[in-house]
Amino acid sequence: MRLKAEQLSAHLASKGLASVYIISGDEPLLVQESADIIRTAAKLHGYNERRLFYADSKFDWNSVLIEASHISLFSEKKFLEIRIISGKPGDKGSKTLQEYLSKINTETLTLIITPKLDSSSTRGKWFTAIENQGISIQIWPVSTPQLPQWLNRRLNQSGIKANQEAIRVLADRVEGNLLSAIQEIEKLKLLAPERELTGQAMSDIVVDSSRFNVFVLLGKIMESEAKKACHVLQGLRSEGTDATIILWAITRDLRILIKGSEAVQSGEGIDSVLQKLGVWESRRPLVKKTISRIPIERLRQMLKLSGAIDRGIKGTRQGSPWDDLTTLILVLCGIQSFNSRSLRLAIQ
């Protein structure tokens, strides 16, 4: 069964928990919120023992079967969360998931999180097995025309009244960055007056988020402004921004650039591809310029380096994630060569 993210809470309230859920999408905030709703419901229903798996290319899928069959000494109910890094479990993962789902019981709740899935993945046997037994939730980006309505709904949920001009000002400031939008709304909870916000009042309260936010970092990288990009990265670090969020955003752009490059090579219309990928119209010229600047093989190498940084954040690889993020940014800006021995070793 398929649900929209906004239908999840009502479905849980009326139907209760399913045995398995899969959330797919490239919008970190909305993926996180949907996952949190399921995690909260799981706790309320006694699934107190949580086991987390990161399924990359070297993942041992048998560990999922072993964990599912293991009898816990502390809790009768288990909550297994599987994050498929690439979005595709591969042949081994597909077979394991199908076997796992055929044996799953009411004492085990499973949540699977993946990046956005392509049509071939959603037709796969493993995905079909999940939908037959549980719930799939596909997260779609909030487009430019949809953003004001999305912001208005979030403001209302927070008890903040704002007219259309104020909402437009907020939309212009956050530039499609939903994480930044939520931060600004949290700030408005403290600073907004009880009366309806006007455009001027919104401008006075909301600090221009383009100074040190992840969205601007991505822009500086694509503009090949290495010094400014590193300065923004340092600002994000000093503000306590989670390195995982930054890496996720860079990795998402890398995937967009790779798919765009593949479209160019195949002769497919780049604008239609970028539209399907949810790239804002205002960003498309910059994305196309970056695609022409960086060879596709270099982009694929950078995606591998992103995976290495992810392992560093999780503690399964030595190194400083912040130093590695700086290296990644410098290479993408064309300042540092990827041919150095240390970089080649990093992705092994």
Side-chain angles (χ1 to χ4, degrees):
M1 179 179 181
R2 295 189 183 186
L3 288 180
K4 296 180 179 179
E6 55 268 27
Q7 297 173 319
L8 179 58
S9 293
H11 186 270
L12 284 169
S14 62
K15 303 294 185 180
L17 281 166
S19 58
V20 58
Y21 293 85
I22 182 167
I23 302 172
S24 61
D26 289 335
E27 180 49 68
L29 174 71
L30 301 183
V31 169
Q32 182 70 31
E33 288 182 340
S34 293
D36 284 343
I37 290 172
I38 294 171
R39 294 181 190 121
T40 300
K43 280 190 176 182
L44 290 174
H45 286 79
Y47 293 91
N48 296 317
E49 184 181 352
R50 180 168 170 257
R51 182 78 165 86
L52 180 60
F53 298 94
Y54 289 94
D56 56 16
S57 59
K58 299 180 180 179
F59 179 64
D60 180 9
W61 281 95
N62 286 326
S63 61
V64 175
L65 297 176
I66 293 171
E67 180 62 33
S69 62
H70 179 66
I71 300 174
S72 174
L73 299 176
F74 305 101
S75 173
E76 293 182 357
K77 293 184 175 182
K78 288 186 177 184
F79 179 30
L80 304 188
E81 185 170 326
I82 306 170
R83 300 183 187 178
I84 304 178
I85 307 303
S86 68
K88 296 184 178 181
D91 291 339
K92 176 62 176 177
S94 177
K95 292 176 182 177
T96 302
L97 284 171
Q98 291 175 71
E99 179 183 352
Y100 171 72
L101 291 169
S102 69
K103 298 177 180 179
I104 200 169
N105 57 62
T106 56
E107 303 304 311
T108 303
L109 174 64
T110 307
L111 171 62
I112 300 170
I113 299 177
T114 77
K116 181 182 176 181
L117 298 175
D118 56 29
S119 57
S120 63
S121 295
T122 57
R123 291 194 301 268
K125 292 182 179 179
W126 67 277
F127 188 87
T128 302
I130 292 172
E131 286 198 320
N132 288 341
Q133 189 152 337
I135 304 292
S136 72
I137 303 161
Q138 292 177 285
I139 303 295
W140 301 102
V142 178
S143 65
T144 304
Q146 294 170 332
L147 182 59
Q149 185 179 359
W150 186 89
L151 289 171
N152 188 38
R153 185 167 62 250
R154 291 297 176 120
L155 288 167
N156 287 334
Q157 290 171 355
S158 298
I160 300 169
K161 299 177 181 178
N163 65 22
Q164 290 186 353
E165 183 185 1
I167 293 171
R168 182 187 59 77
V169 169
L170 182 57
D172 289 343
R173 292 292 174 89
V174 300
E175 297 180 300
N177 185 344
L178 302 190
L179 289 169
S180 177
I182 291 300
Q183 291 173 355
E184 297 296 351
I185 290 173
E186 288 299 314
K187 186 188 304 176
L188 287 167
K189 285 183 182 180
L190 300 175
L191 302 177
E194 292 185 4
R195 65 181 184 277
E196 184 178 73
L197 280 171
T198 63
Q200 184 59 53
M202 182 71 79
S203 297
D204 292 340
I205 295 172
V206 177
V207 175
D208 190 344
S209 61
S210 66
R211 187 180 179 190
F212 282 135
N213 68 22
V214 177
F215 190 79
V216 168
L217 173 64
L218 299 175
K220 297 304 178 186
I221 292 172
M222 288 198 180
E223 291 165 358
S224 196
E225 295 186 15
K227 185 175 181 179
K228 291 182 179 180
C230 289
H231 182 57
V232 174
L233 179 67
Q234 184 58 42
L236 289 165
R237 182 179 185 180
S238 65
E239 288 181 345
T241 305
D242 192 332
T244 303
I245 293 174
I246 299 171
L247 179 63
W248 189 329
I250 294 175
T251 302
R252 179 181 60 181
D253 265 12
L254 277 170
R255 290 196 179 102
I256 288 172
L257 291 169
I258 290 170
K259 290 179 180 178
S261 294
E262 291 171 345
V264 171
Q265 289 184 351
S266 66
E268 191 175 353
I270 183 64
D271 285 302
S272 62
V273 171
L274 294 180
Q275 183 179 11
K276 290 176 184 177
L277 293 172
V279 178
W280 288 60
E281 188 173 353
S282 59
R283 290 195 78 209
R284 289 176 200 167
L286 187 56
V287 171
K288 288 189 282 188
K289 182 180 178 181
T290 306
I291 288 172
S292 65
R293 178 173 64 85
I294 307 178
I296 189 169
E297 288 306 318
R298 175 63 54 84
L299 292 171
R300 287 169 176 160
Q301 289 172 333
M302 291 301 92
L303 193 59
K304 289 182 180 179
L305 181 55
S306 295
I309 297 172
D310 183 60
R311 294 194 296 276
I313 292 173
K314 295 170 185 141
T316 59
R317 170 183 166 271
Q318 291 185 344
S320 165
W322 289 101
D323 289 345
D324 290 340
L325 279 170
T326 301
T327 299
L328 177 61
I329 288 170
L330 290 174
V331 176
L332 284 170
C333 289
I335 301 301
Q336 184 165 332
S337 170
F338 191 80
N339 294 325
S340 68
R341 182 174 180 271
S342 59
L343 280 175
R344 293 199 304 273
L345 289 174
I347 65 173
Q348 293 179 353

